[in-house]
Amino acid sequence: MSGLIGKKIGMTSIYDENGKNIPCTVIEAGPCIVTQVRTEEVDGYSALQLGFDDKTEKSTTKAEAGHAKKAGTSVKRKVVEFQGFGEGYKLGDAITVEHFIEGEFVDIAGTSKGKGFQGVVKRHGFGGVGQATHGQHNRLRAPGSIGAASYPARVFKGMKMAGRMGGERVNVENLRVYKVVPEKNLLVVKGCVPGHKNSYVIIQK
């Protein structure tokens, strides 16, 4: 699927034509520069490698600098490959937010907010022991039993337990594009998008 790299700005709400308040996410989408063109003859598949957000010279490697120099652009902080763009693009071309149309649906992938080490109630939705009386002491949010007895004499893999939560790649599908603002490179989509403010997201249609 074709798409763009963007940066999550934050959330807001707008009113639709019926006066309903719609929660929306504002994303700075593009402009993305074509840093490499994959072709069937050379690579075995066709795709475009897009770069977004300039990188400082201090944190740039020589390999990255040489790669960007071929495209005649500055080194980019985020580089992603997209398929489905078709022919006609060449190195150094810029693809803007006008690639999207108001009213269409997009899929957005990002890295969710990290929550740290969390217990089973927050992480898996356990109910706890269900009561605070009848001899219970400091057990309200405990996981309870995690196995049987001398058989199988082990804890099964995949058991829902406490552990590190969040910080994973999440893909949200079918978010409606409510507004495209080309002069500010902004994309407004209905609903929420994974990640914290200023985190990179991948928008595909």
Side-chain angles (χ1 to χ4, degrees), residues 87-116:
E87 305 295 328
Y89 292 95
K90 59 183 187 299
L91 286 175
D93 284 356
I95 302 174
T96 65
V97 71
E98 293 176 281
H99 180 67
F100 299 104
I101 305 164
E102 291 182 9
E104 70 179 351
F105 292 87
V106 295
D107 297 346
I108 300 182
T111 303
S112 63
K113 288 181 179 179
K115 306 288 185 183

Side-chain angles (χ1 to χ4, degrees), residues 1-12:
M1 296 191 293
S2 64
L4 284 179
I5 310 166
K7 185 186 283 188
K8 179 178 175 179
I9 302 298
M11 290 197 72
T12 185

Side-chain angles (χ1 to χ4, degrees), residues 27-201:
I27 301 168
E28 180 188 345
C32 294
I33 308 298
V34 179
T35 53
Q36 191 170 0
V37 179
R38 303 281 192 184
T39 59
E40 292 280 355
E41 301 78 43
V42 178
D43 305 289
Y45 67 101
S46 58
L48 289 184
Q49 185 190 84
L50 302 183
F52 174 71
D53 207 8
D54 291 342
K55 201 173 186 180
T56 59
E57 190 176 341
K58 177 184 174 184
S59 57
T60 300
T61 65
K62 286 187 177 180
E64 290 171 335
H67 186 69
K69 190 176 180 182
K70 285 182 183 177
T73 182
S74 57
V75 179
K76 301 301 178 184
R77 193 176 293 276
K78 184 74 173 175
V79 177
V80 179
E81 269 191 14
F82 292 91
Q83 295 184 357
F85 266 108
E87 305 295 328
Y89 292 95
K90 59 183 187 299
L91 286 175
D93 284 356
I95 302 174
T96 65
V97 71
E98 293 176 281
H99 180 67
F100 299 104
I101 305 164
E102 291 182 9
E104 70 179 351
F105 292 87
V106 295
D107 297 346
I108 300 182
T111 303
S112 63
K113 288 181 179 179
K115 306 288 185 183
F117 194 101
Q118 297 297 331
V120 289
V121 173
K122 184 179 179 76
R123 192 178 186 214
H124 297 296
F126 283 21
V129 295
Q131 57 190 15
T133 59
H134 295 288
Q136 304 293 343
H137 178 66
N138 294 343
R139 303 293 298 164
L140 275 176
R141 300 173 72 89
S145 172
I146 59 168
S150 56
Y151 179 83
R154 64 191 177 92
V155 178
F156 292 119
K157 287 184 178 179
M159 179 71 62
K160 290 180 179 178
M161 290 183 167
R164 189 171 291 184
M165 181 180 174
E168 300 173 330
R169 183 186 166 93
V170 178
N171 188 37
V172 183
E173 298 181 342
N174 297 324
L175 295 177
R176 184 179 172 190
V177 176
Y178 252 88
K179 199 172 286 186
V180 178
V181 189
E183 55 272 16
K184 292 186 177 180
N185 298 312
L186 294 181
L187 190 70
V188 181
V189 297
K190 180 181 177 181
C192 54
V193 166
H196 55 79
K197 290 179 182 177
N198 292 323
S199 63
Y200 293 114
V201 292

